[in-house]
Amino acid sequence: IDAVPASVEWGTSYADPISWAPLFTNHRIIYLPAYHHFANPTDRYAGFASLDPRLSGKLAVLATPEGQVLRTPKSTPAANLYRMQSTLTLTADGAIDGVATYEMSPNVDAYARAIVSGASSMSDLANNLLERTMEGGVGQMTAGDRGDLARPLTLSASWHSVHVVTAQGDRR
C-alpha cells in the first residue's frame, strides 16, 4: 500500500498559518492516497479508523516529489462518542451498587486505551474516577486486550457508593 508522509500540527491550534515555516508542523502521520485516508501510526492506541481530534481538520503537507497540501478530515460527533449502559441498585441503607459496560467510537476507543494502559491497576483507575464524583465509592474496572487494535476495546465497571441517599424524615 502506497503511504506518503504528511507533516501536520498535532495540538490545539486550528488556525491556518499566515505563511509557511518549518515550525508550522510538529508531527508526521501518513496519507494513503488509494484510500484518501490519514492514519497516525505513532499512536500506539489508535486503530486504523481513529484519528485524534487534535489532528482533525488540519493542513497536511505531503512529502511527495511535487509536494501537495491536503486537509485532514474534520472530526465528527460519530467518531467521538461512547455509550454507557448501566444498572444502579439503591440499597435499603441508601447506598448505590452499580455496573456498567461501555461501547466506544474509534477516537474514544483510542483515548480509553491510553487511560487504561497508563493506570497502575484497574481498581486504582475505578477508584480515581469515583473520587471525582460527589458520591465517591469503591469500584473495579475490567478491560479487554488494549493492544489488540483489530478489535474494539471492551470496558466494564462495577462500584459501590455508600450514603448516596440520606433519610430526610417524614415529609407530610
Side-chain angles (χ1 to χ4, degrees):
I1 297 175
D2 187 29
V4 178
S7 297
V8 296
E9 191 276 331
W10 191 3
T12 58
S13 174
Y14 290 91
D16 291 344
I18 295 171
S19 65
W20 292 90
L23 297 177
F24 161 69
T25 65
N26 64 4
H27 190 65
R28 304 298 175 271
I29 60 176
I30 59 170
Y31 175 67
L32 307 170
Y35 302 96
H36 190 62
H37 184 82
F38 287 93
N40 185 8
T42 66
D43 186 345
R44 72 177 67 179
Y45 305 114
F48 187 73
S50 176
L51 190 62
D52 187 302
R54 296 169 298 158
L55 291 170
S56 300
K58 302 285 184 93
L59 289 178
V61 180
L62 303 185
T64 64
E66 310 79 35
Q68 186 178 2
V69 176
L70 294 178
R71 191 171 295 277
T72 61
K74 290 185 178 182
S75 192
T76 64
N80 295 287
L81 60 88
Y82 72 93
R83 177 186 196 157
M84 178 181 79
Q85 292 185 309
S86 62
T87 301
L88 302 176
T89 303
L90 180 61
T91 64
D93 63 354
I96 288 183
D97 290 322
V99 294
T101 58
Y102 302 86
E103 295 176 25
M104 298 162 278
S105 64
N107 289 349
V108 176
D109 183 284
Y111 181 69
R113 286 176 196 271
I115 290 172
V116 167
S117 295
S120 57
S121 74
M122 294 303 284
S123 293
D124 285 347
L125 177 58
N127 293 328
N128 287 339
L129 292 171
L130 286 165
E131 282 178 5
R132 299 177 192 172
T133 68
M134 290 180 4
E135 298 82 14
V138 295
Q140 178 63 41
M141 296 184 81
T142 58
D145 183 355
R146 55 191 164 260
D148 184 359
L149 298 181
R151 300 175 197 263
L153 180 68
T154 58
L155 190 61
S156 61
S158 61
W159 68 94
H160 178 77
S161 299
V162 297
H163 309 299
V164 175
V165 178
T166 57
Q168 298 296 315
D170 190 4
R171 293 181 178 223
R172 290 188 208 183

